[in-house]
Amino acid sequence: MLLIDQKIFKRAKKGIRNSPFKLFLFQSLQKGSLSAQNVFEKKSKYLNQEFMFINSASFIENEFLKLIKIGVLRREVDGQGLTSKVRITPIGRQVIESSTDLFTKKISLIKKLVKCLKYQLYPR
């Protein structure tokens, strides 16, 4: 079971590191929930500088879906069912708390370029 946990943890860590979001988004999600529209309206607060080109909340929603698939985020539930807001999962909390260098690590220029091109060419 420990090996599976390590794989899940590594996948979650990689997903968070490769996402367009700043640490502030994940810290905000630890306190409450956010919708893609909220993040889009305040994108300078929540998104990394190289992703300011994002021009729709649907792009952010797709990024939320990727993080939901790997287990970092989950949909918020109210009395009516699922909502458009997301919350952070226990695994997401654990990754954020234990990996302090996750957002401070320098990314090489080539990796930044590849990442930006991937996001620019990715169909929305």
Side-chain angles (χ1 to χ4, degrees):
M1 188 72 171
L2 186 59
L3 182 62
I4 294 172
D5 291 343
Q6 288 174 351
K7 285 183 180 180
I8 292 169
F9 190 80
K10 275 179 75 172
R11 186 174 56 227
K13 192 174 176 180
K14 185 177 177 183
I16 290 172
R17 185 181 31 223
N18 291 330
S19 74
F21 304 117
K22 290 181 182 178
L23 175 62
F24 185 71
L25 175 99
F26 296 101
Q27 291 171 335
S28 298
L29 288 173
Q30 287 180 340
K31 297 174 187 161
S33 59
L34 289 170
S35 70
Q37 188 63 39
N38 292 10
V39 174
F40 178 68
E41 289 169 0
K42 298 175 184 169
K43 64 183 179 181
S44 62
K45 243 170 118 174
Y46 297 118
L47 295 177
N48 289 323
Q49 187 64 36
E50 51 277 353
F51 293 98
M52 287 298 138
F53 66 86
I54 293 174
N55 56 4
S56 73
S58 64
F59 181 87
I60 295 168
E61 182 64 33
N62 286 337
E63 292 303 311
F64 282 171
L65 290 174
K66 288 178 188 178
L67 292 173
I68 288 170
K69 279 184 182 178
I70 60 172
V72 173
L73 300 179
R74 64 177 169 84
R75 288 280 173 204
E76 185 176 54
V77 179
D78 64 2
Q80 305 284 315
L82 294 177
T83 67
S84 62
K85 294 183 176 184
V86 294
R87 287 187 165 273
I88 196 162
T89 62
I91 287 184
R93 286 180 197 276
Q94 188 178 3
V95 169
I96 296 298
E97 291 168 1
S98 67
S99 303
T100 55
D101 66 336
L102 197 60
F103 294 94
T104 58
K105 268 187 178 176
K106 293 280 185 186
I107 300 173
S108 71
L109 185 61
I110 292 173
K111 284 188 179 183
K112 278 185 182 181
L113 183 63
V114 168
K115 190 174 174 182
C116 260
L117 284 173
K118 181 182 123 188
Y119 277 97
Q120 286 282 359
L121 299 174
Y122 184 74
R124 293 178 206 143

